[in-house]
Amino acid sequence: MSRIAYVNGQYVPHKDAAVHVEDRGYQFADGVYEVCEVWKNNIVDMPRHMDRLGRSLSELRIDWPMTRKALEFVLAETVRRNKVHNGLVYVQVTRGVSRRDHFFPPEDVAPSIVVTARSASPAAADKQAETGISVVSYPENRWPRVDIKTIALLPNVLAKQNAKESGGKEAWYVDADGNVTEGGSTNAWIVTKDNKLVTRPAESGILKGITRTAVLDLAEKEGLSFEERAFSLEEAYDAREAFVTAATTIVMPVVKIDDRIVGNGHPGMVASRLRQLFHTVTDLKAV
């Protein structure tokens, strides 16, 4: 069966889904997005994702395209129509369609919205987690407002492509002080030699990941010691464990950073345990 997309009020075949050439998302990357995990017929942590979407829209002064309750229904309906049991649902909102001009369009221009959903294999992800991934460091070169989940992701594309060409799965941005900020599409974590979880504070300089927040909740529930502080690339090289978090990966062990093996070169016990227990602390909305 063909995939289905929701575009500006209509459910359409994915192959026919399109937006206008003067949509400001296309012209200026003037929009925001969210990606939610779908797990066992549930959308994971939708309230937190909708909260963050609302914040991103507010920071860019873009109106909600519909009420929050209606948008939650559209996400769930898109998942249902695509028969996604495990996978992802994506929502993108732009400032709308208007003649190309850097100034905001007239107030009567409505935001544009696109929602898509696709399946993914939990077994394939679990298999990758059994061996872990490699990350490649990359100089931080993004605008300061990475706390807003915008669709302007060209720096992330280039960083991740560099990682791929260097044999890695993910990029880790490193700031001018030599500290890791976050991944190209993930949050970055290490486990120190004294078994303490460390991830960078999310007040500024990184995106406040929804999966990141859930992992902090899980760490507290499990009685794990953790710190929200900056950590250097050198400290990451010397860590006992490392991992990344995102809706697309949940908790994914990192076994190599650049040309340095992390720990014993295998996924660590902390990351593996957090991955195993992750959904015990998430909000699950049945679809």
PDB file of all heavy atoms in Angstrom, residues 154-175:
ATOM      1  N   LEU A 154      21.638  22.486   7.288  1.00  0.00           N
ATOM      2  CA  LEU A 154      22.760  22.277   6.385  1.00  0.00           C
ATOM      3  C   LEU A 154      24.070  22.000   7.129  1.00  0.00           C
ATOM      4  O   LEU A 154      24.816  21.088   6.739  1.00  0.00           O
ATOM      5  CB  LEU A 154      22.923  23.466   5.433  1.00  0.00           C
ATOM      6  CG  LEU A 154      24.029  23.328   4.392  1.00  0.00           C
ATOM      7  CD1 LEU A 154      23.839  22.080   3.532  1.00  0.00           C
ATOM      8  CD2 LEU A 154      24.076  24.575   3.502  1.00  0.00           C
ATOM      9  N   PRO A 155      24.420  22.740   8.210  1.00  0.00           N
ATOM     10  CA  PRO A 155      25.653  22.386   8.932  1.00  0.00           C
ATOM     11  C   PRO A 155      25.640  20.956   9.454  1.00  0.00           C
ATOM     12  O   PRO A 155      26.664  20.268   9.430  1.00  0.00           O
ATOM     13  CB  PRO A 155      25.688  23.403  10.079  1.00  0.00           C
ATOM     14  CG  PRO A 155      24.884  24.557   9.588  1.00  0.00           C
ATOM     15  CD  PRO A 155      23.780  23.936   8.778  1.00  0.00           C
ATOM     16  N   ASN A 156      24.479  20.501   9.907  1.00  0.00           N
ATOM     17  CA  ASN A 156      24.351  19.133  10.397  1.00  0.00           C
ATOM     18  C   ASN A 156      24.547  18.124   9.267  1.00  0.00           C
ATOM     19  O   ASN A 156      25.187  17.083   9.444  1.00  0.00           O
ATOM     20  CB  ASN A 156      22.980  18.924  11.036  1.00  0.00           C
ATOM     21  CG  ASN A 156      22.661  19.948  12.102  1.00  0.00           C
ATOM     22  OD1 ASN A 156      22.576  21.139  11.807  1.00  0.00           O
ATOM     23  ND2 ASN A 156      22.459  19.503  13.318  1.00  0.00           N
ATOM     24  N   VAL A 157      24.002  18.438   8.100  1.00  0.00           N
ATOM     25  CA  VAL A 157      24.166  17.577   6.934  1.00  0.00           C
ATOM     26  C   VAL A 157      25.650  17.418   6.596  1.00  0.00           C
ATOM     27  O   VAL A 157      26.147  16.305   6.367  1.00  0.00           O
ATOM     28  CB  VAL A 157      23.397  18.153   5.724  1.00  0.00           C
ATOM     29  CG1 VAL A 157      23.787  17.433   4.435  1.00  0.00           C
ATOM     30  CG2 VAL A 157      21.896  18.043   5.954  1.00  0.00           C
ATOM     31  N   LEU A 158      26.375  18.534   6.566  1.00  0.00           N
ATOM     32  CA  LEU A 158      27.790  18.482   6.213  1.00  0.00           C
ATOM     33  C   LEU A 158      28.601  17.735   7.273  1.00  0.00           C
ATOM     34  O   LEU A 158      29.510  16.962   6.947  1.00  0.00           O
ATOM     35  CB  LEU A 158      28.333  19.900   6.027  1.00  0.00           C
ATOM     36  CG  LEU A 158      27.731  20.680   4.858  1.00  0.00           C
ATOM     37  CD1 LEU A 158      28.248  22.113   4.844  1.00  0.00           C
ATOM     38  CD2 LEU A 158      28.014  19.999   3.526  1.00  0.00           C
ATOM     39  N   ALA A 159      28.276  17.959   8.545  1.00  0.00           N
ATOM     40  CA  ALA A 159      28.999  17.261   9.613  1.00  0.00           C
ATOM     41  C   ALA A 159      28.752  15.760   9.552  1.00  0.00           C
ATOM     42  O   ALA A 159      29.686  14.956   9.692  1.00  0.00           O
ATOM     43  CB  ALA A 159      28.571  17.815  10.973  1.00  0.00           C
ATOM     44  N   LYS A 160      27.502  15.368   9.336  1.00  0.00           N
ATOM     45  CA  LYS A 160      27.188  13.946   9.287  1.00  0.00           C
ATOM     46  C   LYS A 160      27.760  13.291   8.034  1.00  0.00           C
ATOM     47  O   LYS A 160      28.194  12.135   8.075  1.00  0.00           O
ATOM     48  CB  LYS A 160      25.670  13.741   9.387  1.00  0.00           C
ATOM     49  CG  LYS A 160      25.130  14.030  10.789  1.00  0.00           C
ATOM     50  CD  LYS A 160      23.632  13.842  10.871  1.00  0.00           C
ATOM     51  CE  LYS A 160      23.211  12.406  10.871  1.00  0.00           C
ATOM     52  NZ  LYS A 160      23.456  11.716  12.159  1.00  0.00           N
ATOM     53  N   GLN A 161      27.774  14.018   6.915  1.00  0.00           N
ATOM     54  CA  GLN A 161      28.382  13.462   5.716  1.00  0.00           C
ATOM     55  C   GLN A 161      29.882  13.264   5.908  1.00  0.00           C
ATOM     56  O   GLN A 161      30.449  12.253   5.471  1.00  0.00           O
ATOM     57  CB  GLN A 161      28.123  14.376   4.511  1.00  0.00           C
ATOM     58  CG  GLN A 161      28.690  13.850   3.199  1.00  0.00           C
ATOM     59  CD  GLN A 161      28.055  12.534   2.752  1.00  0.00           C
ATOM     60  OE1 GLN A 161      26.934  12.211   3.138  1.00  0.00           O
ATOM     61  NE2 GLN A 161      28.779  11.781   1.941  1.00  0.00           N
ATOM     62  N   ASN A 162      30.525  14.206   6.581  1.00  0.00           N
ATOM     63  CA  ASN A 162      31.946  14.046   6.894  1.00  0.00           C
ATOM     64  C   ASN A 162      32.175  12.816   7.754  1.00  0.00           C
ATOM     65  O   ASN A 162      33.134  12.055   7.536  1.00  0.00           O
ATOM     66  CB  ASN A 162      32.473  15.287   7.613  1.00  0.00           C
ATOM     67  CG  ASN A 162      33.928  15.154   8.017  1.00  0.00           C
ATOM     68  OD1 ASN A 162      34.835  15.226   7.197  1.00  0.00           O
ATOM     69  ND2 ASN A 162      34.164  14.950   9.311  1.00  0.00           N
ATOM     70  N   ALA A 163      31.291  12.604   8.723  1.00  0.00           N
ATOM     71  CA  ALA A 163      31.409  11.416   9.571  1.00  0.00           C
ATOM     72  C   ALA A 163      31.262  10.147   8.738  1.00  0.00           C
ATOM     73  O   ALA A 163      32.042   9.197   8.884  1.00  0.00           O
ATOM     74  CB  ALA A 163      30.354  11.461  10.677  1.00  0.00           C
ATOM     75  N   LYS A 164      30.282  10.135   7.853  1.00  0.00           N
ATOM     76  CA  LYS A 164      30.051   8.961   7.006  1.00  0.00           C
ATOM     77  C   LYS A 164      31.272   8.660   6.143  1.00  0.00           C
ATOM     78  O   LYS A 164      31.707   7.505   6.030  1.00  0.00           O
ATOM     79  CB  LYS A 164      28.825   9.191   6.132  1.00  0.00           C
ATOM     80  CG  LYS A 164      28.485   8.025   5.221  1.00  0.00           C
ATOM     81  CD  LYS A 164      27.244   8.331   4.396  1.00  0.00           C
ATOM     82  CE  LYS A 164      26.906   7.170   3.464  1.00  0.00           C
ATOM     83  NZ  LYS A 164      25.684   7.463   2.648  1.00  0.00           N
ATOM     84  N   GLU A 165      31.827   9.697   5.550  1.00  0.00           N
ATOM     85  CA  GLU A 165      32.989   9.509   4.675  1.00  0.00           C
ATOM     86  C   GLU A 165      34.237   9.109   5.458  1.00  0.00           C
ATOM     87  O   GLU A 165      35.192   8.585   4.885  1.00  0.00           O
ATOM     88  CB  GLU A 165      33.243  10.783   3.878  1.00  0.00           C
ATOM     89  CG  GLU A 165      32.144  11.061   2.853  1.00  0.00           C
ATOM     90  CD  GLU A 165      32.273  12.421   2.192  1.00  0.00           C
ATOM     91  OE1 GLU A 165      33.174  13.199   2.588  1.00  0.00           O
ATOM     92  OE2 GLU A 165      31.461  12.717   1.288  1.00  0.00           O
ATOM     93  N   SER A 166      34.209   9.344   6.775  1.00  0.00           N
ATOM     94  CA  SER A 166      35.327   8.969   7.641  1.00  0.00           C
ATOM     95  C   SER A 166      35.082   7.641   8.352  1.00  0.00           C
ATOM     96  O   SER A 166      35.840   7.266   9.253  1.00  0.00           O
ATOM     97  CB  SER A 166      35.581  10.070   8.680  1.00  0.00           C
ATOM     98  OG  SER A 166      35.858  11.306   8.053  1.00  0.00           O
ATOM     99  N   GLY A 167      33.999   6.964   7.980  1.00  0.00           N
ATOM    100  CA  GLY A 167      33.708   5.655   8.549  1.00  0.00           C
ATOM    101  C   GLY A 167      32.854   5.688   9.793  1.00  0.00           C
ATOM    102  O   GLY A 167      32.703   4.657  10.463  1.00  0.00           O
ATOM    103  N   GLY A 168      32.276   6.847  10.123  1.00  0.00           N
ATOM    104  CA  GLY A 168      31.455   6.968  11.319  1.00  0.00           C
ATOM    105  C   GLY A 168      29.970   6.967  11.014  1.00  0.00           C
ATOM    106  O   GLY A 168      29.549   7.068   9.862  1.00  0.00           O
ATOM    107  N   LYS A 169      29.190   6.867  12.070  1.00  0.00           N
ATOM    108  CA  LYS A 169      27.732   6.882  11.961  1.00  0.00           C
ATOM    109  C   LYS A 169      27.163   8.228  12.370  1.00  0.00           C
ATOM    110  O   LYS A 169      26.070   8.596  11.952  1.00  0.00           O
ATOM    111  CB  LYS A 169      27.145   5.768  12.850  1.00  0.00           C
ATOM    112  CG  LYS A 169      25.644   5.587  12.741  1.00  0.00           C
ATOM    113  CD  LYS A 169      25.237   4.989  11.424  1.00  0.00           C
ATOM    114  CE  LYS A 169      23.740   4.678  11.406  1.00  0.00           C
ATOM    115  NZ  LYS A 169      23.303   4.127  10.103  1.00  0.00           N
ATOM    116  N   GLU A 170      27.883   8.955  13.209  1.00  0.00           N
ATOM    117  CA  GLU A 170      27.399  10.228  13.736  1.00  0.00           C
ATOM    118  C   GLU A 170      28.568  11.182  13.894  1.00  0.00           C
ATOM    119  O   GLU A 170      29.732  10.751  14.021  1.00  0.00           O
ATOM    120  CB  GLU A 170      26.689  10.008  15.085  1.00  0.00           C
ATOM    121  CG  GLU A 170      26.260  11.246  15.854  1.00  0.00           C
ATOM    122  CD  GLU A 170      25.229  12.129  15.143  1.00  0.00           C
ATOM    123  OE1 GLU A 170      25.528  12.547  14.010  1.00  0.00           O
ATOM    124  OE2 GLU A 170      24.179  12.412  15.754  1.00  0.00           O
ATOM    125  N   ALA A 171      28.266  12.489  13.876  1.00  0.00           N
ATOM    126  CA  ALA A 171      29.264  13.530  14.137  1.00  0.00           C
ATOM    127  C   ALA A 171      29.057  14.072  15.539  1.00  0.00           C
ATOM    128  O   ALA A 171      27.928  14.157  16.018  1.00  0.00           O
ATOM    129  CB  ALA A 171      29.122  14.653  13.119  1.00  0.00           C
ATOM    130  N   TRP A 172      30.151  14.433  16.206  1.00  0.00           N
ATOM    131  CA  TRP A 172      30.085  15.150  17.481  1.00  0.00           C
ATOM    132  C   TRP A 172      30.698  16.524  17.284  1.00  0.00           C
ATOM    133  O   TRP A 172      31.880  16.644  16.928  1.00  0.00           O
ATOM    134  CB  TRP A 172      30.834  14.397  18.577  1.00  0.00           C
ATOM    135  CG  TRP A 172      29.962  13.418  19.318  1.00  0.00           C
ATOM    136  CD1 TRP A 172      28.698  13.037  18.984  1.00  0.00           C
ATOM    137  CD2 TRP A 172      30.290  12.716  20.513  1.00  0.00           C
ATOM    138  NE1 TRP A 172      28.214  12.123  19.890  1.00  0.00           N
ATOM    139  CE2 TRP A 172      29.175  11.913  20.844  1.00  0.00           C
ATOM    140  CE3 TRP A 172      31.418  12.675  21.326  1.00  0.00           C
ATOM    141  CZ2 TRP A 172      29.157  11.084  21.966  1.00  0.00           C
ATOM    142  CZ3 TRP A 172      31.407  11.844  22.441  1.00  0.00           C
ATOM    143  CH2 TRP A 172      30.286  11.064  22.764  1.00  0.00           C
ATOM    144  N   TYR A 173      29.878  17.560  17.481  1.00  0.00           N
ATOM    145  CA  TYR A 173      30.385  18.919  17.387  1.00  0.00           C
ATOM    146  C   TYR A 173      31.281  19.231  18.584  1.00  0.00           C
ATOM    147  O   TYR A 173      30.976  18.853  19.724  1.00  0.00           O
ATOM    148  CB  TYR A 173      29.232  19.915  17.365  1.00  0.00           C
ATOM    149  CG  TYR A 173      28.556  20.028  16.023  1.00  0.00           C
ATOM    150  CD1 TYR A 173      27.275  19.530  15.819  1.00  0.00           C
ATOM    151  CD2 TYR A 173      29.191  20.648  14.953  1.00  0.00           C
ATOM    152  CE1 TYR A 173      26.645  19.644  14.599  1.00  0.00           C
ATOM    153  CE2 TYR A 173      28.573  20.773  13.722  1.00  0.00           C
ATOM    154  CZ  TYR A 173      27.300  20.272  13.544  1.00  0.00           C
ATOM    155  OH  TYR A 173      26.685  20.388  12.327  1.00  0.00           O
ATOM    156  N   VAL A 174      32.382  19.954  18.315  1.00  0.00           N
ATOM    157  CA  VAL A 174      33.326  20.366  19.358  1.00  0.00           C
ATOM    158  C   VAL A 174      33.488  21.871  19.274  1.00  0.00           C
ATOM    159  O   VAL A 174      33.795  22.418  18.209  1.00  0.00           O
ATOM    160  CB  VAL A 174      34.689  19.666  19.167  1.00  0.00           C
ATOM    161  CG1 VAL A 174      35.669  20.107  20.253  1.00  0.00           C
ATOM    162  CG2 VAL A 174      34.520  18.147  19.193  1.00  0.00           C
ATOM    163  N   ASP A 175      33.257  22.560  20.399  1.00  0.00           N
ATOM    164  CA  ASP A 175      33.301  24.021  20.392  1.00  0.00           C
ATOM    165  C   ASP A 175      34.733  24.546  20.491  1.00  0.00           C
ATOM    166  O   ASP A 175      35.700  23.769  20.553  1.00  0.00           O
ATOM    167  CB  ASP A 175      32.410  24.599  21.496  1.00  0.00           C
ATOM    168  CG  ASP A 175      32.876  24.277  22.911  1.00  0.00           C
ATOM    169  OD1 ASP A 175      34.060  23.928  23.111  1.00  0.00           O
ATOM    170  OD2 ASP A 175      32.047  24.387  23.845  1.00  0.00           O
TER     171      ASP A 175
END
